[in-house]
Amino acid sequence: MTEWGVARAASVLAAAEAQRIDRGPITAEWPELDLETAYQVQDEILCRKVESGEHIVGVKLGLTSRAKQQRMGIDSPLTAWLTDRMVLPAGAPLVVGQLIHPRVEPEIVFVLGERLAGPGVTAARAMEAVSHVYGGLEIIDSRFTDFKFTLPDVVADNASSALFVVGGVARKPEDLDLALEACLLAVDGEVVDSATGAAVQGHPGEALALAANALAKRRQALEPGWVVLTGGLTDAVFVEPGSRVSADFSTLGSVTLRCE
């Protein structure tokens, strides 16, 4: 069998996504997989998607809550890529059977008006680069069985990326207090969780700054027009056909996802 390396790991994860089949962690078979190499796997998968016709539209952050970071033994979020094929238009249903075991979480979403490059980016500088702020929902879908993985596994798997929906209410960042922006997450009309923007690194702008500085270490930057999903405000909820998930924000409107 071919030895483990970046190319093989990328092929294994790409096949799992395409075939909608989960598997055990790669680190169980390739314990030498470290964080730096995992990001190389992530970038290799992205390159293959771009070669097949997809376009980069932004980035997402994962593990932005302090509790999740402590569980994974890290002190900052991870970053991952968004492409145009991950965009689920508002009002379009989520076809659950097209994914493995999807979960949904509410997000504060930034659209950048200018390029943002690290190192040394502060939250204040990061927010200056934001053109508009939206509410959104991210649909995550790990390629690993039962969402069980190590940090290198989930980084290689592009932070369990699948799809995302952006709401229809656009606000200027200077008009908002994002640390206090509240969100109620409901499933089939019943509120199951709530949070404020402070759940994301204390302020979503801190997460954006961390993304810019992390990408700088890989000689990359956030580009104008890109979408940035700043991280789940609450824990993600499982969905199944017939479910209806909604995120009601205090000033960013409501975002609803119908599952079939």
Side-chain angles (χ1 to χ4, degrees), residues 104-184:
V104 178
E105 57 189 21
E107 306 249 352
I108 289 174
V109 182
F110 292 147
V111 174
L112 297 184
E114 60 183 76
R115 193 172 192 265
L116 184 62
V121 174
T122 63
R125 169 67 192 100
M127 292 307 300
E128 290 175 355
V130 175
S131 173
H132 291 90
V133 184
Y134 298 81
L137 291 170
E138 184 185 6
I139 300 97
I140 58 175
D141 191 34
S142 175
R143 267 54 70 175
F144 300 115
T145 304
D146 297 328
F147 276 80
K148 293 181 178 179
F149 42 68
T150 69
L151 184 61
D153 287 307
V154 70
V155 167
D157 192 32
N158 202 49
S160 305
S161 62
L163 301 164
F164 67 94
V165 183
V166 177
V169 177
R171 299 290 301 274
K172 291 287 189 180
E174 59 267 26
D175 296 335
L176 301 168
D177 186 338
L178 287 176
L180 296 179
E181 181 71 21
C183 176
L184 297 177

Side-chain angles (χ1 to χ4, degrees), residues 7-61:
R8 182 182 175 193
S11 295
V12 165
L13 289 170
E17 181 179 2
Q19 298 168 16
R20 300 189 295 278
I21 299 174
D22 55 354
R23 55 161 289 131
I26 289 176
T27 51
E29 302 171 48
W30 185 22
E32 296 81 12
L33 177 64
D34 58 17
L35 200 56
E36 181 179 355
T37 308
Y39 274 114
Q40 294 174 16
V41 175
Q42 184 188 109
D43 289 346
E44 173 63 20
I45 293 173
L46 176 71
C47 287
R48 297 183 187 189
K49 289 185 175 184
V50 169
E51 288 173 358
S52 71
E54 296 185 40
H55 302 282
I56 302 171
V57 297
V59 300
K60 57 168 282 187
L61 289 108

